Amino acid sequence: MKLTRKLVLAKAKASDLESVKKLNCWGCNLTDISIFAQMPNIEVLTLSVNSILSLSPLAGCLSLSELYLRRNMIPSLSELSHLRPLTRLRVLWLAENPCCGTDATQYRLTVLRCLPRLQKLDNQVVTDDEISLALMEGEEVTTPPGSIQNQHTTNGLQDAETENDPLNYNMEETNKIREELGMKPLSRDKFSSLSSPSTRESKPIKKSHALDAVLLLLKDLDEEELHVVHTATQNRLQIYTLDSERLTKTQQTQKTAEIQH
């Protein structure tokens, strides 16, 4: 069943689609929700117990803060890539969809890596520790086939010069991180300062530009997003510290054993 303008206005008791802020379409046997491409101001949306397969029509609902999708037919977590632009989304209920799989822990970490701004997932509060763990151990969500265009190809073939361009690498690193945080990609002119010969010659390409990408990204993050990065960084540093301590103890043990022999 297709969700129509007439049905939306009747349920929301509204005169036009743009004025609709809340909508409850629980159990309406919906399969086609393309109407949401015309509803940029929707804030709270209930679509539970339907037969929805794709979330692509929701990509432009930038005001959406709560989304209820329990018990639908969403086949893959790759559909979550359509929700990345929704920077205000704080509540998501996705349970009982085929995409949830059988590993509840990995499912949760993967969703939170893709949508780290969430405060509640499947009616369970999201903690800072979960977000930090998700950024490290959650699986990367890729865009569904057919939804992404290769911007670095010519006549279907990879441009080797573009592929190896440090500036292009830096853009990809930055925009990849921005995409995971639901932020818009930056244009190439934002990276002009990083394309100078001195920058290319003085640093190893991959490591230096990955760092540059992160530093550029920090300028656009708000307080909440910076807190997430801070927590993840602390946890990562703790891992390095523990590894260093273990290595030191092992070396000391080896030295002691050598002296005794």
Side-chain angles (χ1 to χ4, degrees):
M1 177 178 173
K2 181 177 181 178
L3 182 59
T4 63
R5 181 178 185 277
K6 183 177 179 180
L7 184 57
V8 169
L9 297 181
K11 282 184 168 293
K13 298 180 180 180
S15 58
D16 60 89
L17 295 177
E18 291 190 355
S19 66
V20 178
K21 299 293 184 66
K22 296 182 180 181
L23 184 65
N24 188 339
C25 292
W26 190 98
C28 292
N29 197 31
L30 298 176
T31 56
D32 186 337
I33 58 171
S34 56
I35 189 68
F36 289 112
Q38 304 174 47
M39 300 175 60
N41 299 319
I42 189 75
E43 297 177 0
V44 179
L45 179 57
T46 299
L47 294 171
S48 296
V49 193
N50 283 289
S51 299
I52 298 168
L53 292 169
S54 176
L55 302 180
S56 59
L58 302 176
C61 299
L62 302 182
S63 296
L64 198 60
S65 61
E66 297 183 25
L67 177 59
Y68 301 91
L69 292 163
R70 184 177 64 87
R71 201 183 300 177
N72 271 279
M73 299 297 294
I74 300 169
S76 169
L77 290 178
S78 63
E79 288 296 323
L80 294 179
S81 63
H82 298 301
L83 304 183
R84 281 173 170 155
L86 312 186
T87 58
R88 298 182 183 180
L89 187 63
R90 295 294 180 268
V91 177
L92 175 65
W93 199 329
L94 191 63
E96 299 179 67
N97 274 275
C99 64
C100 298
T102 57
D103 188 338
T105 299
Q106 190 59 41
Y107 150 74
R108 191 171 174 88
L109 291 177
T110 299
V111 173
L112 293 178
R113 175 176 175 174
C114 181
L115 304 171
R117 293 185 178 87
L118 289 180
Q119 296 176 355
K120 183 178 287 188
L121 173 60
D122 295 341
N123 205 34
Q124 183 178 343
V125 174
V126 175
T127 66
D128 289 340
D129 288 341
E130 273 190 301
I131 295 296
S132 299
L133 186 62
L135 294 176
M136 291 186 289
E137 299 187 7
E139 295 179 10
E140 183 178 357
V141 171
T142 57
T143 304
S147 299
I148 186 171
Q149 297 180 346
N150 191 337
Q151 299 178 350
H152 309 296
T153 59
T154 303
N155 297 325
L157 300 176
Q158 182 71 36
D159 185 335
E161 182 179 353
T162 302
E163 181 181 20
N164 295 320
D165 181 8
L167 176 59
N168 181 60
Y169 181 88
N170 190 39
M171 286 177 61
E172 291 178 350
E173 286 293 309
T174 302
N175 286 334
K176 181 178 179 181
I177 299 171
R178 293 177 69 88
E179 184 182 15
E180 291 183 0
L181 292 173
M183 300 170 67
K184 294 181 179 180
L186 295 178
S187 60
R188 190 177 180 84
D189 58 10
K190 295 287 186 179
F191 300 87
S192 59
S193 62
L194 297 175
S195 62
S196 63
S198 59
T199 301
R200 297 185 183 190
E201 295 171 0
S202 62
K203 305 177 184 178
I205 290 177
K206 289 190 176 181
K207 288 187 177 181
S208 67
H209 285 287
L211 178 58
D212 288 335
V214 173
L215 294 177
L216 278 173
L217 176 67
L218 292 179
K219 297 178 181 179
D220 292 330
L221 298 183
D222 58 26
E223 183 177 357
E224 180 182 350
E225 293 160 346
L226 286 170
H227 180 68
V228 171
V229 174
H230 177 66
T231 302
T233 303
Q234 284 185 318
N235 289 345
R236 193 69 176 170
L237 285 172
Q238 287 177 355
I239 293 174
Y240 282 121
T241 300
L242 289 173
D243 288 343
S244 177
E245 291 177 349
R246 293 193 188 100
L247 178 61
T248 300
K249 289 181 180 179
T250 300
Q251 291 174 340
Q252 291 177 343
T253 301
Q254 291 176 343
K255 288 182 179 179
T256 300
E258 290 174 359
I259 293 174
Q260 290 176 347
H261 286 288

